[in-house]
Coordinates of all heavy atoms in Angstrom, one line a residue:
L1 N 0.8 -1.2 0.0 CA 0.0 0.0 0.0 C 0.9 1.3 0.0 O 0.5 2.3 -0.6 CB -0.9 0.0 1.2 CG -2.1 -1.0 1.1 CD1 -3.0 -0.9 2.4 CD2 -3.0 -0.7 -0.1
R2 N 2.0 1.2 0.7 CA 2.9 2.4 0.6 C 3.4 2.7 -0.8 O 3.4 3.8 -1.3 CB 4.1 2.2 1.6 CG 3.7 2.4 3.0 CD 4.9 2.1 3.9 NE 4.7 2.4 5.3 CZ 5.4 1.9 6.3 NH1 6.5 1.2 6.0 NH2 5.1 2.2 7.6
T3 N 3.7 1.6 -1.5 CA 4.1 1.8 -2.9 C 3.0 2.3 -3.7 O 3.2 3.2 -4.5 CB 4.6 0.4 -3.5 OG1 5.7 -0.1 -2.7 CG2 5.1 0.6 -4.9
A4 N 1.8 1.7 -3.6 CA 0.6 2.2 -4.3 C 0.4 3.7 -4.0 O 0.1 4.5 -4.9 CB -0.6 1.4 -4.0
R5 N 0.4 4.1 -2.7 CA 0.2 5.5 -2.3 C 1.2 6.4 -3.1 O 0.8 7.5 -3.5 CB 0.4 5.6 -0.8 CG 0.1 7.0 -0.3 CD 0.6 7.2 1.1 NE 2.1 7.1 1.2 CZ 2.8 7.0 2.3 NH1 2.2 6.9 3.4 NH2 4.1 6.9 2.2
S6 N 2.4 6.0 -3.2 CA 3.4 6.8 -3.8 C 3.2 7.0 -5.3 O 3.7 7.9 -6.0 CB 4.8 6.2 -3.6 OG 5.0 5.0 -4.4
M7 N 2.3 6.1 -5.9 CA 2.0 6.2 -7.3 C 0.7 6.9 -7.6 O 0.3 7.0 -8.8 CB 2.0 4.7 -7.9 CG 3.3 4.0 -7.7 SD 3.1 2.2 -8.1 CE 3.1 2.3 -9.9
L8 N 0.1 7.5 -6.6 CA -1.2 8.2 -6.8 C -0.9 9.6 -7.3 O 0.0 10.3 -6.8 CB -2.0 8.2 -5.5 CG -2.7 6.9 -5.1 CD1 -3.3 7.1 -3.7 CD2 -3.8 6.6 -6.1
T9 N -1.8 10.1 -8.1 CA -1.8 11.5 -8.4 C -2.3 12.3 -7.2 O -2.8 11.7 -6.3 CB -2.7 11.8 -9.7 OG1 -4.1 11.3 -9.4 CG2 -2.2 11.1 -10.9
D10 N -2.3 13.6 -7.3 CA -2.6 14.4 -6.1 C -4.1 14.2 -5.6 O -4.3 14.2 -4.4 CB -2.5 15.9 -6.5 CG -1.0 16.3 -6.6 OD1 -0.2 15.6 -6.1 OD2 -0.7 17.4 -7.1
D11 N -5.0 14.0 -6.5 CA -6.4 13.7 -6.1 C -6.8 12.3 -6.3 O -8.0 12.0 -6.4 CB -7.3 14.6 -7.0 CG -8.7 14.7 -6.3 OD1 -8.8 14.8 -5.1 OD2 -9.7 14.7 -7.1
G12 N -5.8 11.4 -6.4 CA -6.1 10.0 -6.6 C -6.5 9.2 -5.4 O -6.3 9.7 -4.2
F13 N -7.1 8.1 -5.5 CA -7.4 7.2 -4.4 C -7.2 5.7 -4.8 O -7.2 5.4 -5.9 CB -8.8 7.5 -3.8 CG -9.9 7.2 -4.8 CD1 -10.4 5.9 -5.0 CD2 -10.7 8.2 -5.4 CE1 -11.4 5.6 -5.8 CE2 -11.7 8.0 -6.2 CZ -12.1 6.6 -6.4
I14 N -7.1 4.9 -3.7 CA -7.0 3.5 -3.8 C -8.4 2.9 -3.5 O -9.0 3.3 -2.5 CB -6.0 2.9 -2.9 CG1 -4.6 3.4 -3.2 CG2 -6.0 1.4 -2.8 CD1 -3.5 3.1 -2.2
L15 N -8.9 2.0 -4.3 CA -10.1 1.2 -4.0 C -9.7 -0.2 -3.7 O -9.1 -0.9 -4.5 CB -11.1 1.2 -5.2 CG -12.4 0.4 -5.0 CD1 -13.2 1.0 -3.9 CD2 -13.2 0.5 -6.3
L16 N -9.9 -0.6 -2.4 CA -9.5 -1.9 -1.9 C -10.7 -2.6 -1.4 O -11.5 -2.1 -0.6 CB -8.5 -1.7 -0.8 CG -7.8 -2.9 -0.2 CD1 -6.4 -2.6 0.2 CD2 -8.6 -3.5 0.9
T17 N -10.9 -3.9 -1.8 CA -12.0 -4.7 -1.3 C -11.4 -5.9 -0.6 O -10.4 -6.5 -1.0 CB -12.9 -5.1 -2.4 OG1 -12.3 -6.0 -3.3 CG2 -13.4 -3.9 -3.2
R18 N -12.1 -6.4 0.4 CA -11.6 -7.5 1.2 C -12.8 -8.2 1.8 O -13.8 -7.6 2.2 CB -10.7 -6.9 2.4 CG -9.8 -7.9 3.1 CD -8.5 -8.1 2.3 NE -7.5 -8.7 3.1 CZ -7.2 -10.0 3.0 NH1 -7.9 -10.9 2.3 NH2 -6.2 -10.5 3.8
T19 N -12.7 -9.6 1.8 CA -13.7 -10.4 2.4 C -13.9 -10.0 3.9 O -12.9 -9.8 4.6 CB -13.3 -11.9 2.3 OG1 -13.2 -12.2 0.9 CG2 -14.4 -12.7 2.9
Q20 N -15.2 -9.9 4.3 CA -15.5 -9.6 5.7 C -14.8 -10.7 6.6 O -15.0 -11.9 6.4 CB -17.0 -9.6 5.9 CG -17.5 -9.7 7.3 CD -17.1 -8.6 8.1 OE1 -16.3 -8.7 9.0 NE2 -17.8 -7.4 8.0
P21 N -13.9 -10.3 7.5 CA -13.2 -11.3 8.3 C -14.1 -12.2 9.1 O -13.7 -13.3 9.5 CB -12.3 -10.4 9.2 CG -12.9 -9.1 9.2 CD -13.5 -8.9 7.9
V22 N -15.3 -11.7 9.5 CA -16.2 -12.6 10.2 C -16.6 -13.8 9.4 O -16.8 -14.9 9.9 CB -17.5 -11.8 10.6 CG1 -18.6 -12.7 11.2 CG2 -17.1 -10.7 11.6
R23 N -16.6 -13.6 8.1 CA -17.0 -14.8 7.2 C -16.1 -16.0 7.4 O -16.5 -17.1 7.7 CB -17.0 -14.4 5.7 CG -17.2 -15.6 4.8 CD -17.3 -15.3 3.4 NE -17.5 -16.5 2.6 CZ -17.9 -16.5 1.4 NH1 -18.2 -15.4 0.8 NH2 -18.1 -17.7 0.8
H24 N -14.8 -15.7 7.3 CA -13.8 -16.8 7.5 C -13.9 -17.4 8.9 O -13.8 -18.6 9.1 CB -12.4 -16.3 7.2 CG -12.1 -16.0 5.8 ND1 -12.5 -16.8 4.8 CD2 -11.5 -14.9 5.2 CE1 -12.1 -16.2 3.6 NE2 -11.5 -15.1 3.9
A25 N -14.1 -16.5 9.9 CA -14.1 -17.0 11.3 C -15.3 -17.8 11.5 O -15.3 -18.9 12.2 CB -14.2 -15.8 12.2
L26 N -16.5 -17.5 11.0 CA -17.7 -18.2 11.1 C -17.6 -19.6 10.4 O -18.0 -20.6 11.0 CB -18.9 -17.5 10.6 CG -20.3 -18.2 10.7 CD1 -20.5 -18.6 12.2 CD2 -21.4 -17.2 10.2
E27 N -17.0 -19.6 9.2 CA -16.8 -20.9 8.5 C -15.9 -21.8 9.3 O -16.2 -23.0 9.4 CB -16.2 -20.6 7.1 CG -17.2 -19.9 6.2 CD -16.5 -19.6 4.9 OE1 -15.3 -19.3 4.9 OE2 -17.2 -19.5 3.8
R28 N -14.8 -21.3 9.9 CA -13.9 -22.1 10.7 C -14.6 -22.6 11.9 O -14.4 -23.7 12.4 CB -12.6 -21.4 11.0 CG -11.8 -21.0 9.8 CD -10.4 -20.6 10.1 NE -10.3 -19.6 11.1 CZ -10.4 -18.3 10.9 NH1 -10.6 -17.9 9.6 NH2 -10.3 -17.4 11.8

């Protein structure tokens, strides 16, 4: 993420998606 941040334009942003951690916990 630090590398990605350094590659953003002044008004840029990162869109990051991640599985809800509760899902894996409930499955286990």
Side-chain angles (χ1 to χ4, degrees):
L1 286 179
R2 282 177 176 165
T3 300
R5 184 194 66 191
S6 72
M7 301 171 75
L8 284 172
T9 58
D10 287 345
D11 196 37
F13 64 75
I14 295 169
L15 178 59
L16 184 149
T17 69
R18 198 81 163 99
T19 301
Q20 163 62 254
V22 170
R23 171 176 183 164
H24 292 312
L26 181 54
E27 288 175 333
R28 295 195 307 276

